Amino acid sequence: MEQHLSVADMAMLTAGATMWTTAAVPAADIASLSMADGPMGVAGARVDERDVSLLTPAPVALGASWDPALVQQIGQLVGGEAIRRGVDLMLAPNLNLARSPLAGRAFEYFSEDPLLCGQLGAAWIDGCQSTGTGAVAKHLVCNDSETARDQMNAVVDERTLREVYLLPFELAAEARCAGMLTAYNKVNGSWCAEAAPVVTAIAKNEWGFPGVFMSDWFGTHSTVGSLQGGLDLEMPGPARFLGAHSAGAVEQGAVPAARLVDAATRVANTARRFGGAKGTPMNDSAAADLLVQAAAAGFTLVRNEGGILPLDSTRYPRIAVIGPNASAPCFQGGTFAKIAVKPDAVLPIEALRQRFGAAITGYTPGVDPQPKLPRMAAQPARDLGDGCLRGMTIDYFDNQDCDGAPLASETRDTNSLTWFHGVHDAGALQRDAATRASGSYTASDTGGHLFYVGGTGALRLLVDGQEVFRRDEQLAPGDVMGRLKSGDADSVTVQLAAGQTVAVVAELRYAAARCQGLWYGVRGPGSAQSMMAQAVAAAQQADAVILMVGETSDASVESKDRPDTHLPSEQIALIEQVCAANPNTVIVTNVGHAFDTRWDGLARAVLHCWYPGQEFGAALAQVLAGDREPGGRLPVTIAAADADYPALSLQPDANGDLHYSDGVRVGYRGLAANGVAPRQAFGAGFGYASFELDAPQLHDVADGWEVTVKLRNTSHRVGAEVVQVYRDLPELTLVGFAKATLAAGAEQELRIAIAARRMQVWDGGWTDVAGPVRLLVGRSSIDLPFTITI
């Protein structure tokens, strides 16, 4: 306990010192901790393409691996990367659930199932914290969607809250995570940062969790409410509601002194635990190998008619690669935790050419790879002596007219710029000012070029000195973040000739606010019809086709859910026409959530790759060639129709309430209870190897049971299998699983622990499920051939 500290020092500890650091009391051995956002790696505080960090597979891809040991290694990799970047605490893992396929951040969620999510989250925490880097699990609780997330109230019954949405956090607490991040939303009427029934009554008192509870950034609403709710640390700093205000609340008698001592103790203990000795980051070679392994382990094969995969170039000597995601893969979603990917990350098309050589006859995207905001291959307007030969020259001014010498200048090789007050010091964000991006662009084709520009204020676009677009609208400070998140841009057509070089200038004039953004791009000539025709011709001339479809990073964003589950209509048309032109088509999907796959029967094979991290290209080439197994199983249910999902709409009602009316029957549980067959079942998938299971046996052990099952690899190659155990009452529920990799012809006895809690429900307290209860054992939620009765 920290009673020896002054009230002022204890109060200081309850608020961050800066945007990404905690306060320090050196005399009491309490260091300042540096934080960074996750969970796919160490996000740079500046949201800057130059802050390159290792990008791991997204949690949904790790969830598809069903492999806690592998996920632990990924956590260890990220913990080591945090050390390299000078970070003490990672805001990760994300333990919310993929309740609806429309959820904007579903790619950050391990699964729709709380046990799979919780066990993989705990493994990630173990790995991260083994390096001396703390893991802060997020977002407590029911932040399972993005629509009005900072206003809506999640209305959820006690049984559902306990068994489903709190279970992953309970397992994180058992893994001794450094802390938990409270969500922006309300739960049952209380802001999550003030939700005493969750934070204090359950997490602190029932679980006995000793870690720190911190707010999500700017997610606090009061002083007394936050402290009385159990919040220990307000982020970011400087304080808005806690900090010195905490001392005032204690002195006025509004908050007990013991509550301030508790908060300061938790912050201090976390600082002492994670502010000291660190491990050694993984070397580059080992990290690359692990990221390839992890990507392939999540690739989920759901169709392979006629054994077309692995692709044999002697059987298919001419292989066409088609589809936008081969050249413009979606590595991650568009959140503020976005990782700056290494510039030499190998694209899928490049890796396929390297692996298959002359068998790859060509590549055509078929549809526009960047439909919302294309990049602009530009050269900077001025040489700033920084060695940067690509990108735009960025000038920061302290006035809206771009008059006088700029405050600062830099070269940025990106088409999307974001600045935050307290993080970026180049611009003048806290006053009315301007930023100008300038460079040169050379056209490769003759025709109409669409130039795009968007931003958080008044905009002007010039091409060769001529103003081609202007909008003088200024945003109110409260509207800036919404514009920044939407990323909407205007466009104008400019006629250029092939080889013509033009000067391009984009100007943003903004009013004072905490953040600003400017984005721009250019799309060259070329009709949708001609791109589709080229794709069909390529398919007709090939023996087999690798068709890569999927999303761009703006399809999965923070603070915005999806309107539907469909791929873009032009991609569906591409699938239909390519498969009609060549039935030997392998569809590779690059999507971060459950989505509509009614076209899946058109192709010979379908491989879901999710968002697989920076080694996507290498992993894909190796899996398609058969050098590696696709090791994934579905971590989410893909329904036959949107109406089949137990939860779909994420729109709160007129009172701001989002009712969790599906209760505990989320995902596969609800489909099973309603007698509805999925299109692709939770837990389903297969590799190139084949396996047999013997009838399982049940054994009593301390605090539960153990299911043993003999697994045999009946194929001539190494492979992996996932054995899953479900209980049948009161609804189908995953209670245990195990993954094993076996050599050709090998046999192994798997042991699957079933904790006593897995056979209980919440009914005012933890109560045994009324029996007799059957354990169902098999390979997916609909493939459960073995039954054991307890």
Side-chain angles (χ1 to χ4, degrees), residues 377-381 439-445 449 451 462-465 494-504:
Q379 288 73 48
S440 60
Y441 170 77
T442 301
S444 56
D445 298 292
H449 288 65
F451 282 83
L462 298 91
V463 177
D464 260 1
V494 177
Q495 296 293 327
L496 298 177
Q500 181 181 354
T501 298
V502 292
V504 180

Side-chain angles (χ1 to χ4, degrees), residues 529-594:
Q529 293 83 357
S530 65
M531 284 193 288
M532 184 70 74
Q534 291 171 11
V536 171
Q540 291 171 335
Q541 295 162 14
D543 300 305
V545 174
I546 300 170
L547 175 57
M548 293 191 63
V549 295
E551 299 177 312
T552 56
S553 62
D554 51 26
S556 294
V557 296
E558 197 164 342
S559 298
K560 184 179 179 182
D561 293 313
R562 274 176 289 277
D564 56 55
T565 65
H566 305 291
L567 289 175
S569 58
E570 61 271 20
Q571 291 196 25
I572 296 174
L574 180 65
I575 290 171
E576 293 170 345
Q577 295 195 36
V578 167
C579 289
N582 191 327
N584 291 327
T585 294
V586 175
I587 295 179
V588 176
T589 70
N590 182 195
V591 179
H593 51 90

Side-chain angles (χ1 to χ4, degrees), residues 320-490:
V321 181
I322 299 172
N325 290 64
S327 60
C330 186
F331 289 114
Q332 59 192 314
T335 71
F336 289 116
K338 194 169 184 179
I339 308 298
V341 186
K342 62 178 185 177
D344 59 346
V346 178
L347 300 176
I349 181 58
E350 297 168 348
L352 291 170
R353 283 171 171 153
Q354 292 169 11
R355 177 59 183 83
F356 287 93
I360 301 296
T361 57
Y363 168 66
T364 180
V367 299
D368 194 331
Q370 296 170 316
K372 185 171 183 179
L373 183 69
R375 287 187 60 84
M376 181 165 64
Q379 288 73 48
R382 303 194 310 277
D383 182 359
L384 300 180
D386 53 11
C388 296
L389 303 178
R390 299 184 306 178
M392 299 276 272
T393 301
I394 312 299
D395 294 314
Y396 300 94
F397 295 89
D398 62 359
N399 62 85
Q400 289 195 337
D401 297 320
C402 298
D403 285 341
L407 293 173
S409 302
E410 60 182 354
T411 308
R412 298 289 299 276
D413 186 17
T414 181
N415 67 332
S416 183
L417 301 157
T418 304
W419 304 279
F420 290 94
H421 176 64
V423 175
H424 300 89
D425 54 9
L429 302 183
Q430 291 297 83
R431 66 179 109 168
D432 296 352
T435 300
R436 180 175 62 203
S438 53
S440 60
Y441 170 77
T442 301
S444 56
D445 298 292
T446 298
H449 288 65
L450 273 177
F451 282 83
Y452 292 75
V453 65
T456 53
L459 295 164
R460 196 163 77 110
L461 181 67
L462 298 91
V463 177
D464 260 1
Q466 179 181 353
E467 184 177 277
V468 295
F469 176 82
R470 184 185 186 103
R471 188 183 68 215
D472 291 322
E473 168 202 24
Q474 285 290 359
L475 297 179
D479 297 331
V480 169
M481 185 62 76
R483 176 68 60 81
L484 194 64
K485 291 170 180 174
S486 74
D488 293 335
D490 291 291

Side-chain angles (χ1 to χ4, degrees), residues 602-676:
L602 300 177
R604 290 278 297 279
V606 176
L607 180 69
H608 298 318
C609 292
W610 318 105
Y611 295 170
Q614 69 183 50
E615 298 298 336
F616 185 5
L620 180 65
Q622 292 175 30
V623 166
L624 293 182
D627 305 329
R628 287 183 185 266
E629 282 271 299
R633 305 294 184 268
L634 286 174
V636 292
T637 301
I638 294 181
D642 283 359
D644 294 342
Y645 288 106
L648 184 66
S649 173
L650 297 172
Q651 184 64 47
D653 65 18
N655 297 320
D657 293 335
L658 182 65
H659 292 270
Y660 279 46
S661 53
D662 47 328
V664 298
R665 294 182 173 181
V666 60
Y668 69 90
R669 302 181 185 191
L671 269 72
N674 295 330
V676 176

